[in-house]
């Protein structure tokens, strides 16, 4: 598993533990369930963003290393994309 999925798994495990403890204490309510669900959702969104950014950066660095020659000359064409005006 990656560090990202490990982080999410830790948060989910902690959330389940808190839910179980509040259930045993008789304090598990709809509000608690919604709050715990929101925590997991927010962490999952951050984990996904971090993983996506990391993947993009790593891919970009690999692409740059691939097109640069040992003498530093770039061996690829750079195409600039212009946004079409409506």
């Amino acid at each position: 598993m990656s560090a990202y999925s490990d982080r999410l798994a830790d948060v989910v495990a902690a959330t389940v533990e808190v839910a179980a403890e509040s259930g045993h204490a008789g304090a598990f309510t709809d509000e608690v369930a919604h709050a715990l669900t929101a925590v997991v959702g927010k962490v999952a969104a951050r984990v996904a963003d971090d993983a996506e950014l990391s993947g993009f950066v790593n891919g970009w660095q690999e692409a740059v290393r691939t097109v640069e020659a040992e003498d530093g000359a770039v061996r690829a064409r750079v195409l600039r994309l212009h946004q079409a005006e409506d």
Side-chain angles (χ1 to χ4, degrees):
M1 287 175 60
S2 73
Y4 302 109
S5 55
D6 286 346
R7 186 169 61 174
L8 183 57
D10 288 344
V11 170
V12 170
T15 303
V16 169
E17 187 177 337
V18 168
E21 289 173 359
S22 66
H24 287 301
F28 192 79
T29 62
D30 288 346
E31 291 81 17
V32 171
H34 289 295
L36 293 175
T37 301
V39 167
V40 171
K42 287 189 178 286
V43 171
R46 287 183 185 153
V47 166
D49 287 346
D50 291 349
E52 184 176 346
L53 178 61
S54 176
F56 174 80
V57 169
N58 290 338
W60 182 261
Q61 290 171 342
E62 182 179 337
V64 168
R65 282 192 305 271
T66 301
V67 299
E68 286 183 352
E70 289 184 16
D71 61 1
V74 175
R75 303 285 186 229
R77 290 181 36 205
V78 176
L79 302 175
R80 303 215 184 272
L81 301 177
H82 298 282
Q83 185 175 3
E85 295 182 25
D86 293 331

